[in-house]
Amino acid sequence: PPQEASFSSTLHNNKVDIIWVVDDSSSMFQHQQKLSNEISEMVAKLNQLKLDYRMVVTTTSVGNGLAGGTYI
């Protein structure tokens, strides 16, 4: 009798770009604190999963940041 063979292949991409847009108005302070407290757990999980990730953070402020609008 004829035999059937079945094959499957899964391609995994471990590259991740993460863009954070943080509303830094004073009304969002509580949420900013929560993000600050929990970001290290997220980074640890990304590292545990062996993801190749890049993160960038920007805020909703215009030109009044500590870095004076430059990349840091």
Side-chain angles (χ1 to χ4, degrees):
Q3 292 186 353
E4 262 186 54
S6 129
F7 299 94
S8 68
S9 175
T10 303
L11 177 64
H12 295 280
N13 182 350
N14 71 336
K15 296 179 185 293
V16 179
D17 291 329
I18 301 167
I19 302 170
W20 294 88
V21 180
V22 178
D23 180 346
D24 60 349
S25 61
S26 59
S27 65
M28 297 300 288
F29 180 76
Q30 181 179 359
H31 300 287
Q32 296 161 13
Q33 284 299 113
K34 184 175 180 181
L35 176 62
S36 176
N37 293 337
E38 295 181 9
I39 193 78
S40 61
E41 186 178 330
M42 179 186 165
V43 169
K45 186 66 173 179
L46 292 170
N47 290 335
Q48 178 187 6
L49 293 171
K50 299 189 184 322
L51 294 177
D52 179 7
Y53 63 92
R54 294 184 290 177
M55 263 191 249
V56 63
V57 179
T58 189
T59 67
T60 56
S61 294
V62 180
N64 291 330
L66 295 174
T70 59
Y71 290 107
I72 56 172

